[in-house]
Amino acid sequence: MQKVHPLWQSPLTIPGGTRQSPINIQWRDSVYDPFLKPLKISYDPTTCLHIWNNGYSFLVEFDDSTDRSIIVGGPLENQYRLKQFHFHWGAINDWGSEHTVDSKFYPAELHLVHWNAVEYPSFEEAVMEGNGLAVIGVFLKLGARHEGLQTLVDALPAVKHKDTVIEFDVFDPSCLLPSCPDYWTYAGSLTTPPLTESVTWIIKKKPIEVDEDQLEAFRMLLFTSDGEEEKRMVDNFRPLQPLMDRTVRSSFQ
Ligand SMILES: NS(=O)(=O)c1ccc(C(=O)N2CCN(Cc3ccccc3)C2)cc1
Ligand SMILES: [Zn+2]
C-alpha cells in the first residue's frame, strides 16, 4: 500500500521512480567534477508578470515567450528559460527546506524553475522530458533582513488566499542568489505532482539570509480559498526520497 502524504495527495514514492527529489546531499559523498562550467544567469527584470497563490506555494511567474531571461552553462547542454520561482518553508525555523545538506534542514528553500525551450515547444511538454527542466535551489537561513526579498514580502498579503493573483511587473530574481558560484548538481524530479523525472537540479552551496519577519510573512499565507476554513500555508515540502543509483556532483573542491 503506497504511503500517501496528506499534503501532496500524491504517493510519497513513484512506482518505478529511480530519480526522485528532494534528496539529502551528503557533502563528503559528492564528487567534484572539473568539467562542470560556471552557471551563467541573465534575467530581464521586465519579464516579471505576477505573483500567484496556487494552493501549494506562491509563484512569481515570468513571460517565457522569448529568451530574455535564461540560464546556460553549469551542467546544462542547452540554455533554459525562466518560467517561475517559488519557495518551500516550515511552520517553524527547524525545518522547511526540501533538500537537506548532511541531514540539516534550512527554514526555507527557493526554486527558480527553467525549461529547455531549445528542444521543446512548451513548458508543459518539457515537464515530461528527462532534460526538460532545470531548477536552481537556494537555501534560506535565518539572519539579516533581505532587502531584495522585502519587495516580494510586501506583496504577499494580496495573495493570502489560494487562487489569488497580483500584478508584479519588475523584479530581478538574481538578487535572491548568493554571490558564491559553488553548487551541487544531480538528476531528479519535480517535488510536486506530477513528480516527473525531468529536472536537472542545481543546488547552491551557500544560503541567503532572511529575517524572522520575512519567514513569518510566508507563514501567514493560506492553502485555502477565501471563505473556506483557514489553513496556514506551512510545511509545503516533500519528504526526502532515496538517492538510489545517483551521484551528486559538485562544482567546487
Ligand atoms: N518544486 S519543483 O521545483 O520541483 C516544481 C514544482 C512544480 C512546478 C510547476 O510549475 N508545475 C509542475 C507541473 N505543473 C503543471 C503541469 C504541467 C504538465 C503536466 C502536468 C501538470 C506546473 C515546477 C517546479
Ligand atoms: Zn519547488
Side-chain angles (χ1 to χ4, degrees):
M1 168 65 178
Q2 270 174 348
K3 292 183 289 183
V4 178
H5 188 266
L7 179 63
W8 298 125
Q9 302 311 318
S10 65
L12 282 187
T13 57
I14 288 284
T18 58
R19 54 175 278 194
Q20 288 292 293
S21 296
I23 59 168
N24 174 52
I25 296 168
Q26 200 66 37
W27 195 313
R28 66 177 174 282
D29 294 343
S30 60
V31 178
Y32 170 58
D33 180 349
F35 298 102
L36 281 173
K37 303 186 190 73
L39 189 62
K40 284 177 60 195
I41 294 165
S42 47
Y43 295 148
D44 173 347
T46 65
T47 56
C48 192
L49 293 172
H50 51 251
I51 308 176
W52 171 40
N53 178 335
N54 72 350
Y56 281 120
S57 180
F58 66 94
L59 278 64
V60 181
E61 296 204 285
F62 289 77
D63 170 5
D64 60 350
S65 59
T66 73
D67 283 333
R68 282 182 296 163
S69 290
I70 55 156
I71 58 171
V72 68
L76 305 172
E77 301 290 313
N78 299 120
Q79 70 176 26
Y80 285 65
R81 256 183 220 170
L82 178 65
K83 166 83 178 165
Q84 53 103 328
F85 69 81
H86 62 275
F87 298 81
H88 303 261
W89 60 91
I92 62 173
N93 298 335
D94 297 345
W95 60 73
S97 60
E98 294 215 295
H99 293 86
T100 54
V101 179
D102 295 343
S103 301
K104 169 196 159 75
F105 283 94
Y106 285 88
E109 184 174 332
L110 160 64
H111 289 158
L112 294 139
V113 181
H114 312 76
W115 61 281
N116 183 344
V118 171
E119 293 192 17
Y120 306 111
S122 71
F123 170 75
E124 284 68 23
E125 298 204 33
V127 163
M128 313 314 269
E129 302 292 337
N131 66 341
L133 303 182
V135 181
I136 298 175
V138 180
F139 295 117
L140 275 62
K141 75 177 245 194
L142 192 62
R145 177 180 151 111
H146 193 294
E147 289 312 326
L149 183 69
Q150 194 54 36
T151 52
L152 191 49
V153 165
D154 290 340
L156 291 184
V159 289
K160 185 179 172 83
H161 293 99
K162 178 181 178 195
D163 294 331
T164 48
V165 190
I166 179 178
E167 192 181 326
F168 197 62
D169 46 13
V170 179
F171 185 79
D172 180 359
S174 36
C175 79
L176 298 175
L177 293 167
S179 50
C180 177
D182 297 348
Y183 62 84
W184 289 284
T185 183
Y186 78 96
S189 74
L190 292 176
T191 66
T192 68
L195 301 171
T196 42
E197 296 183 334
S198 54
V199 181
T200 299
W201 281 95
I202 298 165
I203 308 287
K204 301 295 283 181
K205 180 183 84 175
K206 289 274 200 240
I208 59 169
E209 289 192 20
V210 300
D211 72 11
E212 182 64 36
D213 291 343
Q214 294 178 315
L215 286 171
E216 277 306 317
F218 287 12
R219 298 177 181 132
M220 64 98 210
L221 294 168
L222 300 177
F223 283 127
T224 43
S225 305
D226 200 350
E228 288 179 346
E229 184 205 349
E230 297 202 347
K231 287 197 181 71
R232 287 190 318 142
M233 185 181 274
V234 292
D235 298 333
N236 56 355
F237 57 92
R238 190 190 188 196
L240 292 171
Q241 302 296 308
L243 184 61
M244 305 191 85
D245 183 25
R246 290 180 284 183
T247 300
V248 177
R249 290 181 288 161
S250 65
S251 70
F252 57 93
Q253 279 185 310

Short mmCIF file of all heavy atoms in Angstrom, two decimals, residues 170-194:
data_model
loop_
_atom_site.label_atom_id
_atom_site.label_comp_id
_atom_site.label_asym_id
_atom_site.label_seq_id
_atom_site.Cartn_x
_atom_site.Cartn_y
_atom_site.Cartn_z
N VAL A 170 8.07 44.43 -12.10
CA VAL A 170 9.53 44.49 -12.30
C VAL A 170 10.21 43.86 -11.10
O VAL A 170 10.05 44.33 -9.98
CB VAL A 170 10.05 45.95 -12.46
CG1 VAL A 170 11.58 45.93 -12.66
CG2 VAL A 170 9.36 46.65 -13.60
N PHE A 171 10.91 42.78 -11.33
CA PHE A 171 11.66 42.14 -10.24
C PHE A 171 12.79 41.34 -10.85
O PHE A 171 12.57 40.56 -11.78
CB PHE A 171 10.73 41.23 -9.42
CG PHE A 171 11.42 40.62 -8.21
CD1 PHE A 171 11.60 41.38 -7.05
CD2 PHE A 171 11.92 39.33 -8.24
CE1 PHE A 171 12.25 40.85 -5.94
CE2 PHE A 171 12.57 38.79 -7.13
CZ PHE A 171 12.74 39.55 -5.98
N ASP A 172 14.00 41.50 -10.32
CA ASP A 172 15.15 40.75 -10.83
C ASP A 172 15.50 39.64 -9.84
O ASP A 172 16.09 39.91 -8.80
CB ASP A 172 16.35 41.67 -11.04
CG ASP A 172 17.55 40.88 -11.56
OD1 ASP A 172 17.42 39.63 -11.73
OD2 ASP A 172 18.61 41.48 -11.79
N PRO A 173 15.14 38.40 -10.15
CA PRO A 173 15.35 37.30 -9.20
C PRO A 173 16.83 37.01 -8.91
O PRO A 173 17.15 36.32 -7.96
CB PRO A 173 14.70 36.09 -9.85
CG PRO A 173 14.20 36.51 -11.16
CD PRO A 173 14.54 37.92 -11.40
N SER A 174 17.74 37.59 -9.71
CA SER A 174 19.16 37.32 -9.42
C SER A 174 19.57 37.95 -8.08
O SER A 174 20.57 37.54 -7.49
CB SER A 174 20.10 37.78 -10.53
OG SER A 174 19.65 38.93 -11.13
N CYS A 175 18.71 38.87 -7.56
CA CYS A 175 19.03 39.45 -6.23
C CYS A 175 18.83 38.41 -5.14
O CYS A 175 19.26 38.59 -4.00
CB CYS A 175 18.18 40.69 -5.97
SG CYS A 175 16.49 40.35 -5.45
N LEU A 176 18.18 37.29 -5.47
CA LEU A 176 17.93 36.22 -4.48
C LEU A 176 19.00 35.13 -4.53
O LEU A 176 18.90 34.13 -3.83
CB LEU A 176 16.55 35.60 -4.75
CG LEU A 176 15.35 36.54 -4.62
CD1 LEU A 176 14.07 35.83 -5.03
CD2 LEU A 176 15.23 37.11 -3.20
N LEU A 177 20.02 35.32 -5.37
CA LEU A 177 21.08 34.31 -5.49
C LEU A 177 22.28 34.70 -4.64
O LEU A 177 22.65 35.88 -4.58
CB LEU A 177 21.51 34.19 -6.97
CG LEU A 177 20.46 33.62 -7.91
CD1 LEU A 177 20.87 33.84 -9.36
CD2 LEU A 177 20.22 32.16 -7.63
N PRO A 178 22.90 33.74 -3.97
CA PRO A 178 24.13 34.06 -3.23
C PRO A 178 25.24 34.43 -4.21
O PRO A 178 25.20 34.00 -5.38
CB PRO A 178 24.45 32.75 -2.50
CG PRO A 178 23.76 31.67 -3.24
CD PRO A 178 22.56 32.31 -3.89
N SER A 179 26.21 35.22 -3.75
CA SER A 179 27.28 35.65 -4.66
C SER A 179 28.24 34.49 -4.95
O SER A 179 28.86 34.45 -6.01
CB SER A 179 28.06 36.81 -4.03
OG SER A 179 28.42 36.46 -2.70
N CYS A 180 28.33 33.54 -4.04
CA CYS A 180 29.24 32.40 -4.25
C CYS A 180 28.74 31.53 -5.42
O CYS A 180 27.57 31.16 -5.46
CB CYS A 180 29.29 31.56 -2.97
SG CYS A 180 30.30 30.08 -3.15
N PRO A 181 29.65 31.18 -6.37
CA PRO A 181 29.21 30.43 -7.56
C PRO A 181 29.05 28.93 -7.33
O PRO A 181 28.51 28.24 -8.18
CB PRO A 181 30.35 30.67 -8.55
CG PRO A 181 31.56 30.86 -7.70
CD PRO A 181 31.08 31.54 -6.43
N ASP A 182 29.48 28.44 -6.16
CA ASP A 182 29.54 26.99 -5.91
C ASP A 182 28.15 26.35 -5.88
O ASP A 182 27.22 26.90 -5.28
CB ASP A 182 30.25 26.69 -4.59
CG ASP A 182 31.72 27.14 -4.60
OD1 ASP A 182 32.21 27.45 -5.70
OD2 ASP A 182 32.33 27.17 -3.53
N TYR A 183 28.02 25.14 -6.49
CA TYR A 183 26.75 24.41 -6.48
C TYR A 183 26.98 22.91 -6.53
O TYR A 183 28.06 22.44 -6.92
CB TYR A 183 25.87 24.84 -7.67
CG TYR A 183 26.46 24.54 -9.04
CD1 TYR A 183 26.33 23.29 -9.64
CD2 TYR A 183 27.18 25.53 -9.73
CE1 TYR A 183 26.89 23.03 -10.88
CE2 TYR A 183 27.74 25.28 -10.97
CZ TYR A 183 27.60 24.03 -11.54
OH TYR A 183 28.17 23.76 -12.77
N TRP A 184 25.93 22.19 -6.11
CA TRP A 184 25.88 20.74 -6.36
C TRP A 184 24.90 20.52 -7.49
O TRP A 184 23.99 21.34 -7.71
CB TRP A 184 25.36 19.99 -5.11
CG TRP A 184 26.27 19.92 -3.96
CD1 TRP A 184 27.38 19.12 -3.81
CD2 TRP A 184 26.16 20.67 -2.73
NE1 TRP A 184 27.97 19.33 -2.58
CE2 TRP A 184 27.23 20.27 -1.89
CE3 TRP A 184 25.26 21.62 -2.25
CZ2 TRP A 184 27.43 20.80 -0.62
CZ3 TRP A 184 25.44 22.15 -0.98
CH2 TRP A 184 26.51 21.74 -0.19
N THR A 185 24.99 19.42 -8.24
CA THR A 185 24.01 19.13 -9.28
C THR A 185 23.74 17.63 -9.35
O THR A 185 24.63 16.81 -9.09
CB THR A 185 24.46 19.68 -10.65
OG1 THR A 185 23.43 19.43 -11.62
CG2 THR A 185 25.76 19.06 -11.12
N TYR A 186 22.47 17.28 -9.61
CA TYR A 186 22.10 15.86 -9.74
C TYR A 186 20.83 15.77 -10.57
O TYR A 186 20.11 16.76 -10.75
CB TYR A 186 21.91 15.21 -8.35
CG TYR A 186 20.60 15.53 -7.68
CD1 TYR A 186 19.51 14.65 -7.77
CD2 TYR A 186 20.43 16.72 -6.98
CE1 TYR A 186 18.30 14.96 -7.17
CE2 TYR A 186 19.22 17.03 -6.38
CZ TYR A 186 18.16 16.14 -6.47
OH TYR A 186 16.95 16.45 -5.89
N ALA A 187 20.54 14.57 -11.08
CA ALA A 187 19.35 14.33 -11.90
C ALA A 187 18.19 13.94 -10.99
O ALA A 187 18.27 12.96 -10.24
CB ALA A 187 19.63 13.20 -12.90
N GLY A 188 17.10 14.72 -11.05
CA GLY A 188 15.97 14.48 -10.15
C GLY A 188 14.63 14.72 -10.80
O GLY A 188 14.47 14.57 -12.03
N SER A 189 13.67 15.11 -9.95
CA SER A 189 12.26 15.21 -10.39
C SER A 189 11.61 16.47 -9.84
O SER A 189 12.17 17.15 -8.98
CB SER A 189 11.48 13.99 -9.85
OG SER A 189 11.25 14.16 -8.44
N LEU A 190 10.38 16.70 -10.31
CA LEU A 190 9.53 17.69 -9.66
C LEU A 190 9.25 17.19 -8.25
O LEU A 190 9.15 15.96 -8.03
CB LEU A 190 8.20 17.81 -10.41
CG LEU A 190 8.22 18.41 -11.81
CD1 LEU A 190 6.83 18.35 -12.42
CD2 LEU A 190 8.73 19.84 -11.79
N THR A 191 9.08 18.09 -7.30
CA THR A 191 8.73 17.66 -5.94
C THR A 191 7.24 17.84 -5.66
O THR A 191 6.79 17.61 -4.54
CB THR A 191 9.52 18.46 -4.89
OG1 THR A 191 9.10 19.84 -4.95
CG2 THR A 191 11.02 18.36 -5.12
N THR A 192 6.49 18.26 -6.70
CA THR A 192 5.03 18.30 -6.56
C THR A 192 4.44 17.57 -7.76
O THR A 192 5.15 17.33 -8.76
CB THR A 192 4.47 19.75 -6.55
OG1 THR A 192 4.68 20.30 -7.87
CG2 THR A 192 5.14 20.61 -5.52
N PRO A 193 3.16 17.18 -7.71
CA PRO A 193 2.57 16.49 -8.86
C PRO A 193 2.84 17.26 -10.15
O PRO A 193 2.84 18.48 -10.12
CB PRO A 193 1.07 16.50 -8.52
CG PRO A 193 1.02 16.60 -7.03
CD PRO A 193 2.19 17.44 -6.63
N PRO A 194 3.14 16.58 -11.24
CA PRO A 194 3.12 15.13 -11.49
C PRO A 194 4.43 14.40 -11.14
O PRO A 194 4.62 13.27 -11.59
CB PRO A 194 2.82 15.06 -12.99
CG PRO A 194 3.52 16.26 -13.55
CD PRO A 194 3.37 17.34 -12.50
#
